[in-house]
């Protein structure tokens, strides 16, 4: 099987052109391909497929082999992959598990439209919201030295969230228009270098407190930017912007 490896701010994915629907959607195969010692190594695997009425369809699997909810960085990487395959020119519309998305690409920078967010609820002092995937957002200090794995693992497996799981984001304010975000991702069950839906969720909680329409976001894997329009407690016209790059391509035996 031919595959491509992409990364978006350190969030890495195995990409497969599955427009011929020949890829075996087997949990064990996908988990093996994502394994960093026995496979290619990735946070997830993404299939590019055809869908009537759209430029393409996104099918996303976590590294544990299970099909999962929306992945923002994965979506940006898939847009870059589709552009590489000449599926579209500069703007596209695709369908994912959470609905329709628009995107555009300019000089390797991908701007991806995310779903609207109607409400931000709270768990104590922390925020809970869905940006295509469920997210828990907690503000902390000294995030560079914070034990993201232990604290994220504990919240993800706590009584309220252990059944369906939740992604856990830790946020530190850097300035009036910039935050630092680190994320523990369910399905990966570890911290990743970046999480697109998590960055979006964290940015919206920050924008909720101020009259900003955009915020810069620092992650371990690089820098992103989130734009949004606020209407009371809801958000629309949400865009996630940042780089996505092809790392390498190859062939792998999946039998």
């Amino acid at each position: 099987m031919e595959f491509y490896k992409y990364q978006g701010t350190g969030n890495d994915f195995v990409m497969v052109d599955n427009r011929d629907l020949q890829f075996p959607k087997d949990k064990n195969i996908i988990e093996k391909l994502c394994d960093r010692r026995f496979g290619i190594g990735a946070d997830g695997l993404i299939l590019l497929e055809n869908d009537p009425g759209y430029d393409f369809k996104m099918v996303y699997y976590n590294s544990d082999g299970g099909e999962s909810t929306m992945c923002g960085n994965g979506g940006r990487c898939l847009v870059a992959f589709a552009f590489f395959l000449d599926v579209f020119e500069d703007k596209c519309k695709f369908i994912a598990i959470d609905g329709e998305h628009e995107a555009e690409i300019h000089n390797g920078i991908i701007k991806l439209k995310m779903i609207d967010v109607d409400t931000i609820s709270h768990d104590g002092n922390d925020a809970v919201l869905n940006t295509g995937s469920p997210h828990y957002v907690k503000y902390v200090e000294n995030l560079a030295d914070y034990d993201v794995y232990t604290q994220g693992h504990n919240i993800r497996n706590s009584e309220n969230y252990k059944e369906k799981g939740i992604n856990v984001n830790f946020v530190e304010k850097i300035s009036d228009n910039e935050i630092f975000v680190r994320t523990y991702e369910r399905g990966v069950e570890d911290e990743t270098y970046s999480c697109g839906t998590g960055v979006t969720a964290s940015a919206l909680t920050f924008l909720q407190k101020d009259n900003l329409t955009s915020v810069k976001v620092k992650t371990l894997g690089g820098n992103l930017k989130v734009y949004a329009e606020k209407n009371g407690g809801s958000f629309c016209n949400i865009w996630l912007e940042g780089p996505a790059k092809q790392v390498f391509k190859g062939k792998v035996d999946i039998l």
Side-chain angles (χ1 to χ4, degrees), residues 11-190:
N11 214 182
D12 59 339
F13 308 94
V14 175
M15 295 284 180
V16 178
D17 180 357
N18 194 41
R19 287 176 289 179
D20 59 5
L21 300 178
Q22 294 300 302
F23 182 82
K25 297 178 180 180
D26 181 274
K27 185 177 187 297
N28 292 328
I29 290 175
I30 295 167
E31 185 176 17
K32 181 179 178 182
L33 290 173
C34 291
D35 191 287
R36 297 192 183 278
R37 293 186 182 274
F38 300 102
I40 300 163
D43 291 325
L45 180 144
I46 304 176
L47 303 177
L48 184 146
E49 297 183 353
N50 288 320
D51 193 281
Y54 294 94
D55 292 299
F56 54 91
K57 176 182 179 180
M58 174 182 180
V59 184
Y60 174 68
Y61 299 88
N62 275 327
S63 61
D64 64 0
E67 187 172 0
S68 190
T69 47
M70 182 58 185
C71 175
N73 284 331
R76 293 191 308 100
C77 285
L78 187 63
V79 170
F81 182 43
F83 179 77
F84 168 77
L85 295 174
D86 294 323
V87 174
F88 70 97
E89 292 187 0
D90 58 353
K91 295 182 179 181
C92 65
K93 186 179 292 185
F94 69 93
I95 189 75
I97 194 168
D98 64 337
E100 181 179 295
H101 292 267
E102 298 174 42
E104 52 190 66
I105 181 170
H106 301 285
N107 299 318
I109 301 297
I110 293 86
K111 197 170 179 180
L112 172 67
K113 190 174 185 181
M114 309 295 284
I115 64 168
D116 293 346
V117 173
D118 294 328
T119 59
I120 298 178
S121 57
H122 291 86
D123 185 341
N125 294 322
D126 305 323
V128 178
L129 63 158
N130 193 306
T131 52
S133 288
H135 283 276
Y136 187 104
V137 180
K138 183 180 185 67
Y139 282 77
V140 301
E141 296 181 353
N142 301 316
L143 181 53
D145 300 320
Y146 198 78
D147 189 352
V148 168
Y149 176 83
T150 301
Q151 299 302 321
H153 179 272
N154 290 344
I155 294 171
R156 180 258 186 269
N157 291 286
S158 63
E159 194 64 33
N160 289 341
Y161 307 110
K162 65 181 180 181
E163 183 178 351
K164 294 183 178 180
I166 197 165
N167 302 286
V168 186
N169 307 274
F170 300 95
V171 185
E172 181 177 19
K173 179 180 176 179
I174 296 176
S175 69
D176 288 342
N177 67 343
E178 186 174 9
I179 56 175
F180 178 26
V181 178
R182 293 175 65 185
T183 304
Y184 179 98
E185 285 198 50
R186 67 171 186 175
V188 179
E189 303 308 334
D190 203 347

